[in-house]
Amino acid sequence: MDFPAYLATMPMHAITEIHGEPGLLERFRLEIRAFDAAARERLSEALDLAAELHRDDRRVREPYLNHLLRVAIRMMHHYQVRDVDVIVAGLLHDAVEDHPAELAGPDAAGDPTEAALAALAARFGPRVARLVGAVTNPAYDPERDKHVQYREHVAASLDREPWARVIKMSDFTDNGVGVIHTVGPKVARSAAKYRPLVPVFRDLIARPDTPLSAPVKRHIFAQLDLAEERFSAILDRPN
């Protein structure tokens, strides 16, 4: 498939709408050209694993892999991340939560989440596993509001892992700022889920130990402003 020369500067949701998964895969390849051969091999291995694990998963109108690609590309292009562990963890950030048994393998014993994280550690190193673990949702108490528990988990888990904040911020941007690219009842559900997280992310990103440059932080704050505008348009419509 032929892609335009300006693919490297196109907004990711525009690539998604016009070129689909092949376009995002090509954009990912363009982004990783900045890395050395060993890093490119590792990133490609993580992408292959993510594609295999999520091969049958969908996000409303698109393959789930599109979301994972956008999370990784956003970190490389907009957040200027060059830490390969972080990008690998971004590609695999939903692997343990969504496919623990498949990731751990048929001979794994004990808790599926722990087994899946151990499998990730064996393949990509303990730091990748730790970062993925930090953005993996725990089992929630069915007696409590799951959105409240989600926000508590995000705040507590990311407090301890500065680089996990970067992964989760890219994930939030795709889900929250990108809410206008989805359809149906999920629009309002997503807005209600993610809106209370905006001040949480403002605080986390503003912290001195969040490993992003000042211009990148300003970019993220602008994205959080945009998210608030979109959530308000969805949830605060007059009766």
Side-chain angles (χ1 to χ4, degrees):
M1 182 181 293
D2 292 329
F3 299 103
Y6 52 83
L7 187 79
T9 60
M10 284 180 70
M12 278 176 286
H13 281 287
I15 297 175
T16 304
E17 292 296 326
I18 298 169
H19 302 292
E21 184 182 307
L24 288 169
L25 286 167
E26 180 62 21
R27 175 63 179 270
F28 179 82
R29 296 185 189 103
L30 291 173
E31 293 291 341
I32 68 172
R33 289 193 306 187
F35 294 83
D36 63 30
R40 291 196 303 272
E41 182 177 354
R42 196 156 175 258
L43 290 164
S44 297
E45 182 183 355
L47 175 61
D48 289 345
L49 177 58
E52 174 62 21
L53 291 172
H54 296 278
R55 61 190 177 279
D56 297 322
D57 298 344
R58 304 282 300 178
R59 274 171 55 100
V60 186
R61 298 179 298 162
E62 62 175 340
Y64 200 86
L65 185 64
N66 287 4
H67 166 64
L68 305 176
L69 284 164
R70 289 193 298 263
V71 167
I73 293 165
R74 183 176 296 106
M75 288 195 294
M76 289 185 283
H77 186 80
H78 292 295
Y79 300 175
Q80 301 171 9
V81 174
R82 290 296 178 267
D83 187 318
V84 176
D85 281 350
V86 176
I87 302 165
V88 167
L91 287 166
L92 297 168
H93 76 270
D94 282 328
V96 170
E97 188 172 315
D98 293 346
H99 297 284
E102 189 173 355
L103 181 56
D107 299 325
D111 179 74
T113 296
E114 292 303 318
L117 288 170
L120 269 187
R123 187 162 177 179
F124 292 102
R127 183 165 176 252
V128 167
R130 190 177 74 246
L131 290 169
V132 172
V135 297
T136 297
N137 291 334
Y140 292 136
D141 180 352
E143 300 299 319
R144 296 182 60 215
D145 184 290
K146 69 176 183 179
H147 290 342
V148 171
Q149 293 180 80
Y150 175 70
R151 292 194 295 273
E152 291 173 349
H153 162 69
V154 167
S157 182
L158 301 188
D159 180 66
R160 301 185 296 267
E161 287 286 352
W163 274 114
R165 298 171 200 165
V166 177
I167 298 167
K168 195 65 179 177
M169 187 64 232
S170 186
D171 179 45
F172 173 83
T173 299
D174 208 60
N175 291 324
V177 182
V179 70
I180 61 168
H181 297 283
T182 193
V183 295
K186 186 178 179 182
V187 174
R189 288 200 309 269
S190 295
K193 174 183 178 180
Y194 293 121
R195 186 188 211 177
L197 282 171
V198 172
V200 175
F201 278 112
R202 285 192 192 282
D203 170 68
L204 289 168
I205 296 302
R207 293 183 186 183
D209 65 334
T210 297
L212 296 169
S213 69
V216 170
K217 289 186 177 186
R218 288 195 294 271
H219 167 81
I220 290 173
F221 292 143
Q223 290 292 291
L224 289 169
D225 290 342
L226 182 58
E228 283 191 319
E229 290 177 14
R230 291 177 175 177
F231 296 152
S232 179
I234 294 164
L235 298 172
D236 299 337
R237 291 172 294 182
N239 294 329

